[in-house]
Amino acid sequence: MKEKLKKLLENSYSPYSKFRVASIVVMKDGKEFNGVNVENASYGAAVCAERTAILSAIAAGYKRYDFEALYVMCDNDKIGMSCFVCRQVISEMFEKNKYVIAMNPSGEEVKYTVEELCPYPFSDEDLK
């Protein structure tokens, strides 16, 4: 997965921050969807790599809980972790026991369950 993510970093559109991020979601049936961060001059309109990958899977017909794992890589020595907007989407689409694996281009990685990453999720239950 490391090499796929490193290659995918090249597709990032990040002319403002110069902070490239790539993500791959793996579905329970083994299909993979790629995502990269896409920035915009209006910073609030930027989209993270994780959401790009997840939303691509949804657009292809996958549903909540069809997700097996999410991989993410930033192009620096630090291991970057998903932002809280992405964590909200992850907590909605993934089962609590599924994994988010973050790594750097050198191959160092951290692995968290969705429940560890999002211990206090905002969910449909909060809307009742």
Side-chain angles (χ1 to χ4, degrees):
M1 194 61 70
K2 178 182 85 167
E3 293 306 317
K4 287 182 185 180
L5 286 165
K6 281 173 70 171
K7 178 108 177 92
L8 191 56
L9 283 172
E10 298 170 13
N11 295 347
S12 167
Y13 180 74
S14 47
Y16 306 100
S17 71
K18 311 289 192 254
F19 186 73
R20 299 182 307 163
V21 183
S23 183
I24 298 172
V25 291
V26 180
M27 310 310 292
K28 287 182 178 177
D29 66 6
K31 182 139 175 78
E32 297 178 359
F33 289 89
N34 296 340
V36 295
N37 59 321
V38 179
E39 295 180 349
N40 191 287
S42 172
Y43 289 150
V47 181
C48 298
E50 298 92 324
R51 283 182 284 141
T52 302
I54 292 167
L55 299 179
S56 292
I58 297 296
Y62 287 89
K63 306 289 184 221
R64 183 180 195 190
Y65 302 147
D66 286 343
F67 297 85
E68 184 62 32
L70 182 142
Y71 294 83
V72 63
M73 177 183 286
C74 304
D75 69 346
N76 61 29
D77 291 335
K78 292 178 76 176
I79 297 174
M81 192 48 62
S82 301
C83 77
F84 280 87
V85 174
C86 288
R87 291 181 198 202
Q88 177 62 39
V89 174
I90 292 165
S91 72
E92 178 106 5
M93 294 297 156
F94 285 70
E95 294 165 296
K96 292 178 184 182
N97 65 335
K98 299 305 177 186
Y99 285 99
V100 175
I101 301 98
M103 60 181 67
N104 65 15
S106 300
E108 298 172 293
E109 69 177 53
V110 295
K111 182 177 181 178
Y112 296 101
T113 64
V114 171
E115 187 169 33
E116 291 170 329
L117 195 61
C118 311
Y120 306 104
F122 179 83
S123 72
D124 56 344
E125 292 299 315
D126 294 298
L127 299 175
K128 295 178 181 171

